[in-house]
Amino acid sequence: MAQTALITGANRGIGQQLARMLATEGWDVLVGARDAEKGRSAAARLRKDTGGRLKAVELDVTSDASIAAAVQKLRDGAIKLDALVNNAGIYRGGGVGPTIETNFFGPLRTTLGLVPLLRDGATITNVTSGLGELANLDAEHRRLLADPALTRDALASLMHGFVRTGGKGWGTDAYGVSKAALNALTRILATELAPRHIRVNATCPGWVRTDMGGRGAPRSVEEGAASVRFGVTATETGGIFRDGRRIAP
Ligand code: NAP
């Protein structure tokens, strides 16, 4: 039986390329997109290119209602997931609140919504960035995020606090903080979901030529998606990887 993956923000960029890769490998792929029409046309384009099985799912990672509606649709179709890829993200220019909402609370909300539909032994891949390295943070927040006793609720309150203070005082910008927090969340979720053998990892695509990365980036979208692909069938859990190799938290 084919395995099923859901990728958020898969209507363009790295997410779309990963959808193409997995469909070519024979996966059933759910193309997450916050704009239903963009999702449908991406799925149609990829079906034509790959001959694979891809379907669009409307999913805005900043909206509880959108996630609940997507979950209901999957339940109605009796769909279970073998892989969830939290890829949707925004970069600098989004503002502090939207950046943390999309890049940190988005994966958290999406994971909590979809976890009942994940099969035991499934994987969750959070798409991170080298800009989220702890070394970029000031010493106090570096210590807080690295603390092995940090809980999901404490991490969420840290992020609410960061937004309330306008994104000041962490030593780096909202994008870097959102990805540093996503890395910490990855570690926490890996522990929480270990009893179900769900492996949770963060994978960095490197600096990639997409709308986000710009034309001057050194890596192709194929290289970026291949780096993220590692998480989909990783045997490890709780790690941060680029090109299949561990990188600094
Ligand atoms: P991109 O080309 O800008 O594509 C971003 C995707 O995320 C789009 O499909 C976008 O949908 C979607 N998205 C944004 N907000 C969303 C929301 N609220 N709900 C659902 N989807 C949403 O970016 P990319 O370069 O492919 O980046 C993909 C991931 O890689 C991101 O997490 C990014 O932080 C990470 N990353 C990228 C680079 C790089 O150099 N490109 C480097 C390190 C990490 P719309 O089309 O509707 O806007």
Side-chain angles (χ1 to χ4, degrees):
M1 197 180 64
Q3 294 196 295
T4 303
L6 187 152
I7 307 167
T8 65
N11 55 288
R12 61 188 168 102
I14 294 163
Q16 173 176 249
Q17 183 58 29
L18 181 62
R20 185 190 301 277
M21 276 179 92
L22 293 178
T24 304
E25 291 175 25
W27 287 68
D28 287 346
V29 181
L30 299 167
V31 175
R34 60 178 159 180
D35 178 315
E37 189 41 49
K38 285 186 191 168
R40 275 194 293 273
S41 59
R45 186 162 63 240
L46 294 172
R47 276 196 302 271
K48 187 161 170 269
D49 291 354
T50 65
R53 292 177 303 274
L54 304 107
K55 259 194 220 150
V57 173
E58 184 176 351
L59 199 159
D60 180 339
V61 303
T62 63
S63 159
D64 287 326
S66 169
I67 291 168
V71 167
Q72 193 52 50
K73 254 196 193 151
L74 299 189
R75 276 193 204 286
D76 292 348
I79 292 172
K80 291 278 186 189
L81 299 178
D82 299 284
L84 165 65
V85 182
N86 288 310
N87 164 78
I90 58 172
Y91 191 48
R92 295 176 170 149
V96 176
T99 301
I100 299 297
E101 265 307 313
T102 308
N103 296 0
F104 172 74
F105 286 108
L108 175 55
R109 190 183 278 122
T110 306
T111 299
L112 296 182
L114 286 168
V115 91
L117 301 187
L118 288 179
R119 290 186 208 279
D120 288 355
T123 61
I124 298 173
T125 305
N126 293 324
V127 182
T128 189
S129 162
L131 298 174
E133 231 186 83
L134 285 176
N136 295 328
L137 304 187
D138 70 300
E140 184 201 343
H141 293 102
R142 195 184 310 151
R143 187 184 55 73
L144 285 171
L145 290 196
D147 183 353
L150 181 68
T151 63
R152 174 147 58 82
D153 286 349
L155 178 59
S157 349
L158 278 172
M159 287 304 99
H160 285 306
F162 178 72
V163 173
R164 263 198 314 276
T165 56
K168 303 243 161 19
W170 280 60
T172 190
D173 67 357
Y175 183 81
V177 169
S178 71
K179 297 294 189 180
L182 181 62
N183 292 344
L185 178 65
T186 299
R187 189 182 74 229
I188 293 166
L189 290 173
T191 306
E192 287 183 9
L193 295 172
R196 291 188 51 203
H197 307 287
I198 293 174
R199 284 140 10 244
V200 190
N201 291 289
T203 54
C204 170
W207 181 17
V208 178
R209 289 186 295 279
T210 58
D211 294 338
M212 183 185 289
R215 287 197 194 152
R219 307 189 100 198
S220 66
V221 74
E222 288 82 3
E223 289 171 298
S227 184
V228 172
R229 165 73 183 80
F230 176 79
V232 173
T233 46
T235 50
E236 294 90 336
T237 192
I240 308 169
F241 298 89
R242 185 185 299 121
D243 297 332
R245 285 185 290 277
R246 277 184 193 266
I247 56 172

